[in-house]
Each structure stands twice: as structure tokens, then as C-alpha cells.
Amino acid sequence: STDEAIFRAAAWATRAMGLEPDPAQSSTDSNIPISMGIPSVTIGAGGSSRNAHSLAEWYDPTNGHIGLQRALLMILAYDQMAGQ
């Protein structure tokens, strides 16, 4: 749910990085906790990639630091938002 603190923290961190949140649903590592009723989100890791889960999959780490910065901002924001 978009009301969950983890979702609000992810959206805030994304906007703080000058990006726009894209609350799409897809198959991610969050599927298992979500299926167990644990609020979860998956955020991009920075860099760029294509052809996921195929022999032609590739990853370019250019600007990969942006994903790490966003993750840190999300953790800090969640710490504040979880108590609200």
C-alpha cells in the first residue's frame, strides 16, 4: 500500500534524488515478503541494464552511486516515517 512508511520513504528518497517515483508492480525480490504480508519495495540500483534474466543480460555501472545514495536516503527517511 502506498500508505506504508517504506513506500513513503522510497518515494521521498527518489524525489530527493531528482527522480520521479514509478510505483509499478512487477516480479522482484520483494514478492516473497509481500506475499507474507510484510510491506516491501524494490528500488533501482543505479546504472543501467537490459535483458534481465537472459544470457544477453548486461549491466553498466555508470552512475551506480545514485542507487546507493537513494538507498541510504530511504533508510534514513524510513527511520523517521516508521514512527508516524
Side-chain angles (χ1 to χ4, degrees):
S1 160
T2 59
D3 295 333
E4 297 288 346
I6 195 164
F7 183 87
R8 291 185 285 120
W12 180 87
T14 300
R15 287 188 184 100
M17 295 297 299
L19 304 168
E20 190 59 34
D22 180 16
Q25 295 179 350
S26 65
S27 180
T28 68
D29 291 336
S30 295
N31 288 357
I32 297 298
I34 289 171
S35 72
M36 298 169 68
I38 301 169
S40 304
V41 297
T42 299
I43 61 171
S48 50
S49 64
R50 292 282 185 267
N51 305 314
H53 311 297
S54 76
L55 294 176
E57 181 174 4
W58 58 267
Y59 172 73
D60 177 359
T62 303
N63 294 321
H65 65 282
I66 292 171
L68 295 173
Q69 290 171 346
R70 182 166 53 162
L72 177 59
L73 286 174
M74 183 180 147
I75 291 165
L76 296 172
Y78 178 78
D79 187 51
Q80 295 296 311
M81 294 177 181
Q84 298 177 0

